[in-house]
Amino acid sequence: MTEEMEEYFGTAKVLNNRATRRVANLERTVSRKPLEAKANQRFNSRVSITVISYRMRLCDADGISAKAAIDGLCHCGVLQDDSPKFVKEVSYEQKKVGTQAEEQTIFRIEEVD
């Protein structure tokens, strides 16, 4: 793997000099306005994050992951960091919906300290 590929893919697994494919079933963006443009959005105390997934077809208990999204919240400045110093817990809920148009994922972030 080249240095440029390492920077782009990070710890992604590379097989036969090709990076594994990205997930194609990504959700649509609700807003295109950058979060960093909004004033005072950063949480300055410890938080609890609940990921609520509304799906027509529910996932296995271990099928929901929010690692990349939480890293994105740190990157754009909503969270200072995702370490235990700033994030007390991350929990997951699933709710069944009737149509694909109702599918969405909501991140509820609550200050705990």
Side-chain angles (χ1 to χ4, degrees):
M1 181 182 327
T2 68
E3 194 173 309
E4 181 182 11
M5 286 175 70
E6 274 185 32
E7 181 180 329
Y8 181 76
F9 293 111
T11 58
K13 189 174 184 181
V14 175
L15 302 172
N16 297 331
N17 226 9
R18 294 183 308 161
T20 55
R21 295 181 184 206
R22 294 180 184 205
V23 176
N25 187 16
L26 298 175
E27 297 176 21
R28 66 184 183 279
T29 304
V30 175
S31 171
R32 297 191 185 279
K33 185 174 182 181
L35 289 173
E36 62 267 13
K38 298 178 183 176
N40 301 321
Q41 290 295 308
R42 173 177 266 180
F43 287 88
N44 291 313
S45 64
R46 203 164 178 214
V47 298
S48 172
I49 301 172
T50 304
V51 181
I52 309 166
S53 180
Y54 294 86
R55 296 282 170 260
M56 287 179 58
R57 183 175 174 192
L58 299 180
C59 298
D60 294 340
D62 63 347
I64 301 172
S65 174
K67 173 69 177 142
I70 293 171
D71 286 347
L73 291 172
C74 296
H75 179 72
C76 70
V78 173
L79 300 174
Q80 288 186 42
D81 190 32
D82 59 354
S83 69
K85 180 179 178 182
F86 297 100
V87 178
K88 179 180 179 182
E89 65 183 343
V90 178
S91 61
Y92 300 89
E93 296 177 13
Q94 293 189 76
K95 299 186 186 234
K96 193 164 178 72
V97 295
T99 66
Q100 189 173 10
E102 295 175 283
E103 287 189 334
Q104 62 180 329
T105 300
I106 295 180
F107 286 77
R108 184 173 59 215
I109 305 171
E110 299 173 299
E111 294 179 325
V112 293
D113 291 336

